Amino acid sequence: MLELALMDPEAFDVKEARAVFEDIGISVSGSLGLTPSTDVSSEDELIVAKGEAVLRKAVQLVAELGGTDLCGELYSALAKYPSASTEKGRGNAVAALRRLADYADGFGVSLSLEILNRYETNLVNTAEQGLKFLDDVGRPNVKLHLDTYHMNIEESSMAGAVLATGDRLGYVHVGESNRGYLGSGNIDFASFLRALMTIGYAGPIVFESFSTAVVGPNLSNVLGVWRNLWEESDDLASHAYSYITTAIRSAEQATRKWV
Ligand SMILES: [Mn+2]
């Protein structure tokens, strides 16, 4: 599976892209992070409406590309907020996601809300907070999206967060603590993957990494990508694939039931 960042929906030809993906036999998902001017957790109804329009467009794009998953920061802006979230803003995000979930359901698209660290959202920073948020949204096609990079910053236990999320986990990012090559940082992928196997997770596991060599200046600035940890995308991707498939096989063996 290839995840497309849909920050700029007009950036590519959808029909041509779908033809290429079908030709090489790869499935596609979409991801998104809202901005301060499209933040559905804003107290400003006009900004919320702009955010909902962006999200509906992203749902359409995912469906047009033949995908069924839209993930990422769909509930607030990808930004370091200057203050805590408010009840009104949270309520706006919950209401917007209920409407988006019903809209997405018509396209056969599921939404997975990515739990991010404190520097990239003020609304939900842990799986526990995310589950409460899901309860409030109350739609079966809205699940959680966990990312090891963010979990490493916020969770007391990465495995514990996965086990608590259980069948409400819809999407996974594997990223290193430094967002570079898998295995080059602090993340304990073995215990994380064993927890995924324990809950019987069968959804996408997508590698995510950033470098100013390939990421545009806007996103680099928002994410704080100030150092280049790699320059060769192909080498990075093939290494990630072999690293994670081997680690998944080990986790499968570790959690295998013999009786
Ligand atoms: Mn992520």
Side-chain angles (χ1 to χ4, degrees), residues 121-180:
T121 182
N122 63 354
L123 203 53
V124 283
N125 300 130
T126 64
E128 186 180 19
Q129 289 178 305
L131 290 169
K132 174 74 177 67
F133 191 82
L134 278 193
D135 287 342
D136 292 348
V137 173
R139 293 292 187 276
N141 62 331
V142 185
K143 297 195 167 185
L144 288 196
H145 165 183
L146 295 179
D147 179 325
T148 54
Y149 164 77
H150 299 287
M151 297 172 82
N152 178 57
I153 296 171
E154 301 291 353
E155 301 288 357
S156 300
S157 159
M158 303 220 327
V162 169
L163 297 176
T165 305
D167 63 4
R168 294 204 282 176
L169 182 60
Y171 204 92
V172 167
H173 275 168
V174 283
E176 254 304 352
S177 53
N178 58 14
R179 307 206 106 168

Side-chain angles (χ1 to χ4, degrees), residues 219-227:
L219 189 55
S220 290
N221 291 344
V222 168
L223 297 175
V225 179
W226 315 129
R227 297 182 291 142

